[in-house]
Amino acid sequence: MTAQEAINKLKEVSGNGSISTSEFRDNTRVHVSKDILMKVLTCLKNDCGFDFLVDITAIDYMGYPTATTDRFAVVYCLLNTSEGSRIVVKTMVNDPDPVLPSSYSLWKGADWPEREVYDMYGIRFEGHPDLRRILMPQEFTSYPLRKDYPLRGMGERHNFPVLTRAEG
Amino acid sequence: MALDVLERQASDAPGLDEREFQWTLNFGPQHPATHTTLRLVLTLEGEQIIHAVPDIGFLHSGFEKLGEDLNLNQYVTIVDRMNYTSPLCNEIAWHHVCEKLLGIELTPRCKYIRVIINELMRIQDHLLNIGTCALDLGAFTAFLYAFYQRELIYDLCEHASGQRFHSSFTRVGGLLYDVDDAWIAKLRSFLKGFMKAYNDVTGLLNRNKIFIDRLRGVGVLTKEEAINRSATGPIARASGVLRDVRKDDPYLSYPDFDFQVVAAKEGDCLARYHVRMLEMLESHKIITQAIDNLPSGPVNVDVDGKVVLPDKSSTWRSIEGMIQHFELTMSNRGFKTPVNEVYGAIEGPGGELGFYLVCDGTEKSWRCRTRPPAFYHLAMFPHLIKGHMLSDVVAVLGSLSIIAAELDR
């Protein structure tokens, strides 16, 4: 199913007003709210043939020129492996408690990218089997890719706890 | 991460009952077969692996954060450091997405040169993977043959860009330098010598009983699992997923060339080895066609002289070139980007190499997410290794083409 057919199908399934779409270059994007996210992803995977999860990532829109009140966007890039068509699903989450349902039940490939989004942005995925930091140390407290995290860090590297050989 | 935390996670895996004779073994980060900073916490029962927890993130390189501080041309020096086996592929992927966002159509000559380089990098990457996989399994001579060919590709990179390794060869809208006839002649002689080396490696490995027995039936990935776990590139194609960005979503001048998408259906380590070997032949075919039909003309587009950095000779010898160079490299004076975002991908040697690029109208990117193939492939590792022997770890790792800098961007 092409991206356009998939959008028509999604509009049928989830009611016309609840999703909006945008197009730029050859990317077709579907903007959904987080309460119908799982419904949309399930429909795309099972009914529209977008069975391949290419990537999950997040964007921090704090201070962005066209920013709205929502701070973070989580982006799902999907691919139809039988036809090669692509679609991007975008959903917004906001501070202070950014939570989304986990798509691990649909794709096992979502395991690590969701952990990475959690590690870098602090967006939690409910239902993820093993949501812990992946790139940063477990003791790390902030989220490095947020826009309010400084480029040079907050002194973590300079204030590492010193471990003696006996403790190590 | 603290050792006890990982050990606990390894033994707390669902469906595992704690038994006296289970071991925990740390494999890496300095094990020779893990190549770089990669640690695997294995739970063993005798020699059999019952659970594996990969631990990544030792580099803390923060490439994606740096991308938000550098402009689109400067960031190319960072993206090629994400992949030390085929750096130019990352550069091509990055500027492919930048050009997609800016809406720039490249010149035919630039497209052809980028295709040649992309395929050279594919050969280089596959040579490293096959060579080190063979080395880890005890076949030392094949490794030497493969690495000698890699050296020749480095020579080609050095000739073209002045750098053997991190070339920073691409620019928004074109390339740093055009290639000359001497380079083409060198490339032709490489292609000729490569076939001999290819036949030598094939002769050493293809009917080698030890090599085959170590790979056949190990780390089997079914087609359904490959799709479900987001495998791309040679690993997906070895499981029968016939997806190749070069054919599905053609970029550069790939539609001009006659080549096949190589696939197998076994999905084990041996199938991945064969797919890589045959892909090198297809790359060879593409490069031969590209140099035979290489168009003449400029390598850089000239969108009113506002996007592409002028070539060095005009920067040094003409006032217009110098002003243009100055304007583009000054902060806040470079070209403007649309306030929008785009996902674009190329077929890297390891699989789909994509960037999700968000721009905010300035010359810098707001967010530059890399979609690294190795990250998704290592996530499958616990699934692939379960039930195999400890010595199979190197075979499976070698067949997955893991690059640590790509895991930890």
Side-chain angles (χ1 to χ4, degrees):
Chain A
M1 204 179 269
T2 63
Q4 203 50 52
E5 288 164 0
I7 285 171
N8 295 338
K9 172 102 183 164
L10 283 179
K11 281 183 175 161
E12 254 171 56
V13 172
S14 59
N16 222 343
S18 55
I19 62 171
S20 61
T21 60
S22 63
E23 192 108 19
F24 185 64
R25 305 298 175 212
D26 61 354
N27 282 27
T28 307
R29 285 192 292 261
V30 192
H31 305 257
V32 301
S33 63
K34 73 177 192 183
D35 39 304
I36 59 162
L37 174 72
M38 277 320 275
K39 205 169 146 192
V40 166
L41 290 179
T42 314
C43 173
L44 280 173
K45 185 189 175 216
N46 296 340
D47 308 333
C48 307
F50 288 88
D51 50 354
F52 192 94
L53 175 78
V54 178
D55 200 13
I56 298 178
T57 187
I59 303 145
D60 183 355
Y61 282 114
M62 194 175 77
Y64 191 72
T66 59
T68 54
T69 48
D70 292 314
R71 181 170 173 187
F72 301 106
V74 175
V75 176
Y76 298 78
C77 302
L78 306 180
L79 168 73
N80 183 333
T81 48
S82 50
E83 289 171 31
S85 49
R86 285 167 189 269
I87 198 164
V88 173
V89 179
K90 197 171 162 185
T91 183
M92 306 298 286
V93 277
N94 209 347
D95 267 347
D97 188 29
V99 185
L100 277 181
S102 168
S103 56
Y104 182 79
S105 53
L106 294 173
W107 295 282
K108 284 176 186 157
D111 183 359
W112 280 24
E114 284 186 354
R115 277 175 67 188
E116 194 190 348
V117 167
Y118 164 70
D119 191 359
M120 294 291 142
Y121 288 94
I123 298 168
R124 287 184 293 110
F125 290 89
E126 249 163 23
H128 190 285
D130 183 23
L131 195 67
R132 60 190 160 90
R133 286 184 177 269
I134 185 164
L135 299 178
M136 305 306 285
Q138 221 59 0
E139 306 82 37
F140 205 77
T141 49
S142 37
Y143 302 109
L145 276 178
R146 286 190 176 190
K147 282 286 173 186
D148 52 5
Y149 186 83
L151 187 69
R152 284 168 177 251
M154 300 207 286
E156 292 93 349
R157 288 176 81 110
H158 307 289
N159 298 310
F160 271 141
V162 180
L163 288 181
T164 63
R165 186 168 279 270
E167 290 170 303
Chain B
M1 196 183 298
L3 179 64
D4 59 319
V5 176
L6 276 176
E7 272 174 2
R8 208 164 51 239
Q9 273 152 1
S11 58
D12 281 355
L16 280 182
D17 51 333
E18 191 89 37
R19 274 178 284 183
E20 287 276 315
F21 43 83
Q22 279 179 5
W23 287 57
T24 304
L25 180 76
N26 275 290
F27 196 89
Q30 273 84 32
H31 189 282
T34 58
H35 303 298
T36 37
T37 49
L38 165 66
R39 177 169 163 225
L40 301 167
V41 183
L42 308 170
T43 307
L44 298 170
E45 196 177 295
E47 263 196 271
Q48 201 178 30
I49 291 157
I50 42 179
H51 194 63
V53 180
D55 183 13
I56 63 171
F58 285 91
L59 292 175
H60 294 300
S61 38
F63 290 151
E64 287 180 4
K65 188 82 175 172
L66 281 169
E68 297 170 9
D69 194 54
L70 299 171
N71 72 33
L72 302 187
N73 268 326
Q74 287 171 331
Y75 189 52
V76 77
T77 60
I78 304 289
V79 289
D80 60 14
R81 277 151 181 84
M82 279 179 204
N83 187 341
Y84 56 86
T85 62
S86 51
L88 276 155
C89 265
N90 282 43
E91 296 176 11
I92 289 168
W94 165 245
H95 278 149
H96 169 69
V97 179
C98 293
E99 282 143 13
K100 195 169 172 180
L101 184 85
L102 294 166
I104 294 174
E105 178 75 17
L106 293 170
T107 62
R109 187 174 173 85
C110 176
K111 283 184 185 173
Y112 268 63
I113 296 174
R114 280 197 189 180
V115 164
I116 294 174
I117 290 169
N118 203 351
E119 294 307 316
L120 273 179
M121 287 298 128
R122 192 182 315 281
I123 292 178
Q124 189 185 26
D125 194 282
H126 287 353
L127 280 173
L128 180 126
N129 281 308
I130 290 164
T132 52
C133 183
L135 176 71
D136 293 340
L137 302 178
F140 185 59
T141 319
F143 165 77
L144 290 179
Y145 287 168
F147 262 59
Y148 183 68
Q149 295 302 311
R150 264 176 73 86
E151 284 301 314
L152 298 178
I153 298 179
Y154 286 145
D155 287 345
L156 284 166
C157 291
E158 188 183 13
H159 189 139
S161 68
Q163 292 281 334
R164 287 176 79 75
F165 210 61
H166 296 302
S167 338
S168 309
F169 190 46
T170 59
R171 292 288 181 272
V172 176
L175 297 165
L176 173 60
Y177 301 117
D178 196 356
V179 297
D180 53 11
D181 292 340
W183 191 78
I184 302 287
K186 214 172 183 175
L187 181 57
R188 278 188 201 281
S189 81
F190 163 75
L191 290 177
K192 211 182 272 170
F194 173 76
M195 279 324 292
K196 190 181 173 301
Y198 181 89
N199 292 333
D200 286 346
V201 173
T202 318
L204 277 171
L205 296 179
N206 270 18
R207 292 173 62 205
N208 183 329
K209 188 159 170 29
I210 302 172
F211 187 72
I212 291 171
D213 285 353
R214 289 289 301 272
L215 295 181
R216 181 177 283 156
V218 173
V220 179
L221 183 70
T222 61
K223 188 178 177 186
E224 291 70 36
E225 284 287 336
I227 292 173
N228 199 258
R229 291 178 186 268
S230 304
T232 49
I235 294 161
R237 289 195 284 276
S239 302
V241 184
L242 282 166
R243 291 264 66 103
D244 189 321
V245 188
R246 293 177 291 177
K247 288 276 190 198
D248 307 336
D249 199 1
Y251 57 100
L252 299 175
S253 49
Y254 277 108
D256 297 2
F257 304 119
D258 167 39
F259 67 100
Q260 304 284 319
V261 174
V262 183
K265 58 176 191 291
E266 290 85 1
D268 56 359
C269 293
L270 189 65
R272 280 170 224 145
Y273 158 76
H274 282 306
V275 166
R276 287 210 175 89
M277 285 305 267
L278 292 172
E279 267 191 13
M280 288 202 287
L281 282 187
E282 296 302 318
S283 296
H284 188 278
K285 223 160 93 186
I286 295 172
I287 298 172
T288 315
Q289 290 170 50
I291 47 177
D292 287 343
N293 307 311
L294 188 65
S296 55
V299 283
N300 286 328
V301 290
D302 191 37
V303 188
D304 308 326
K306 289 278 164 53
V307 170
V308 180
L309 283 170
D311 65 85
K312 289 292 177 200
S313 61
S314 83
T315 310
W316 290 328
R317 298 202 184 89
S318 76
I319 189 72
E320 291 79 15
M322 200 192 78
I323 291 171
Q324 192 189 342
H325 189 273
F326 186 69
E327 287 273 321
L328 281 171
T329 47
M330 281 267 288
S331 64
N332 298 323
R333 301 296 289 272
F335 56 83
K336 296 285 173 272
T337 50
V339 185
N340 216 323
E341 53 199 71
V342 77
Y343 176 81
I346 70 160
E347 183 71 25
E352 178 167 331
L353 179 61
F355 279 92
Y356 195 88
L357 177 63
V358 185
C359 275
D360 60 341
T362 64
E363 75 272 30
K364 291 174 187 169
S365 58
W366 184 263
R367 168 88 170 107
C368 50
R369 154 78 179 174
T370 321
R371 189 261 178 219
F375 185 72
Y376 287 86
H377 292 155
L378 187 64
M380 305 187 306
F381 180 77
H383 168 72
L384 294 182
I385 198 64
K386 197 169 275 179
H388 286 300
M389 294 293 165
L390 177 60
S391 58
D392 294 328
V393 170
V394 290
V396 175
L397 264 187
S399 75
L400 286 182
S401 66
I402 303 300
I403 297 153
E406 219 176 66
L407 298 173
D408 178 7
R409 298 153 316 281

